[in-house]
Amino acid sequence: ANKMHGQYFQLYYSRFRALAPRVRDACSNTFGASVPQRTVLELVEGERCVVIGTLYKDMRLKPVILDEYVKDYDKSAVKTLEKYTAEDDRLELEDESARLKLVNIAAAPFVTGVVVGCVGKAVKGDFVVEDTVVFAPANVQAKPKSADDSEARFVCLVSGFEIGEEDSDAAVRNQMFVDYITGVGGDDDDVRASGKICRVIVAGGVLKQTLASTDDAAAAKQQTNG
């Protein structure tokens, strides 16, 4: 299996490159074209400016997957929480040059991976935020009809990824689907068929249902009926 499909940095980088121009336009419209737009490394102490990047939400309650590889790691001691957010969560902003801490901004409304523009000032290595904007909707123009428009197009309905399953069969199965849908796997007929898929709809079964969650659901149903 191609392990590069599981790397998030490519997704975040591609998303940032695609959305950054739209965020810049939204910042100009909201804060004014006269407010300079800087990269993280271009920030000047005390200057009011706009910085654009991808948010990272630092959550101290979030489990760290690398802990599993630490010697004497006790998996049974890990507590399962109802939520992994807390009042002391903080936000950082990362662009193509560097990362910096955001202050004077509530972390609760945001999640990791959102591309935003922040207006404010750099103060002692942090960025004091006055306001934020996200990307503006894309201008969609009608596409001229061509001969290709007469060809059949298909919607792919898929389910049963069961992410979180420990055996390797699920990972291999999911990778085979990714290879097919991207035109990497299969023969020439498969590649032509996958090229006609215009939408992919995930219709459930994304996460593996654990035995514990099944027991909890049964107990809750029994309580309700009782």
Side-chain angles (χ1 to χ4, degrees), residues 75-130:
K75 188 175 182 179
S76 62
V78 178
K79 296 181 180 179
T80 301
L81 306 176
E82 291 185 1
K83 63 178 184 177
Y84 294 93
T85 57
E87 293 183 359
D88 59 351
D89 291 345
R90 62 187 182 91
L91 296 175
E92 297 179 358
L93 188 79
E94 183 176 16
D95 63 9
E96 295 174 295
S97 63
R99 178 185 288 191
L100 82 163
K101 180 182 176 182
L102 302 180
V103 297
N104 194 40
I105 180 174
F110 298 97
V111 295
T112 295
V114 177
V115 179
V116 300
C118 300
V119 64
K121 297 179 180 179
V123 178
K124 296 181 179 179
D126 298 332
F127 193 81
V128 182
V129 179
E130 296 177 12

Side-chain angles (χ1 to χ4, degrees), residues 16-68:
F16 176 75
R17 293 297 299 268
L19 297 180
R22 290 160 60 182
V23 176
R24 292 189 186 96
D25 292 341
C27 288
S28 296
N29 295 333
T30 304
F31 307 131
S34 61
V35 180
Q37 297 184 8
R38 310 291 191 197
T39 67
V40 174
L41 292 182
E42 293 174 343
L43 292 176
V44 178
E45 183 81 6
E47 178 192 44
R48 186 174 186 267
C49 64
V50 169
V51 61
I52 296 169
T54 303
L55 284 180
Y56 170 74
K57 188 171 183 177
D58 187 10
M59 304 162 57
R60 64 176 176 81
L61 298 180
K62 182 181 68 173
V64 180
I65 192 171
L66 295 179
D67 287 346
E68 296 183 16

Side-chain angles (χ1 to χ4, degrees), residues 187-206:
D187 56 20
D188 292 342
D189 291 336
D190 291 329
V191 173
R192 280 191 292 268
S194 64
K196 295 180 180 180
I197 296 174
C198 61
R199 293 288 187 275
V200 176
I201 298 177
V202 180
V206 177

